Amino acid sequence: MMLQSVFSEFALLLMISAAAGATSLWLRQPVLIAYIVVGIVAGPAVLGVVTAHDQIDLLAQIGVAILLFVVGLKCVSHFGPVMLAAGMFSDIAWSPLAWAQLIAQREYLQGMP
């Protein structure tokens, strides 16, 4: 019975989120804002639709990880050459400092009794 209620809650959240997303697109507002509002309204603070907190929390964490991955892919496709050049420059610029710190730490640790 518990498994069925978790799936029912998740299905209800998906339907509410889809309706809110369609409404936000119709109003020409960011969909992410609609999803945040659905999370607040359907959460335990307002309506209390969600009772399977652990499962929904796990899905929310997975969703945030996927969102960050997609944002990273879009940034790489848009700013790819600039990001590559900046990354290579930072590696080259900070490498001597990292080596100097490594040598200083090794000398400090060898001088300890």
Side-chain angles (χ1 to χ4, degrees):
M1 186 68 176
M2 175 68 177
L3 190 62
Q4 185 178 5
S5 68
V6 172
F7 284 126
S8 299
E9 286 180 20
F10 188 61
L12 180 64
L13 283 174
L14 283 176
M15 288 189 293
I16 294 171
S17 297
T23 303
S24 70
L25 286 176
W26 182 68
L27 295 173
R28 295 183 183 189
Q29 298 299 317
V31 179
L32 189 61
I33 303 297
Y35 293 155
I36 292 171
V37 169
V38 167
I40 292 170
V41 171
V46 180
L47 294 179
V49 173
V50 177
T51 59
H53 299 291
D54 294 335
Q55 292 87 354
I56 299 297
D57 183 53
L58 176 65
L59 290 172
Q61 290 178 4
I62 292 171
V64 168
I66 291 172
L67 175 68
L68 291 173
F69 180 72
V70 169
V71 167
L73 286 178
K74 291 202 182 246
C75 284
V76 167
S77 68
H78 188 69
F79 298 111
V82 175
M83 289 173 64
L84 180 65
M88 289 175 58
F89 174 74
S90 68
D91 287 346
I92 293 169
W94 288 102
S95 290
L97 291 173
W99 277 105
Q101 182 183 8
L102 180 68
I103 291 169
Q105 285 179 347
R106 185 182 63 185
E107 290 176 5
Y108 174 76
L109 291 175
Q110 286 177 350
M112 292 181 70

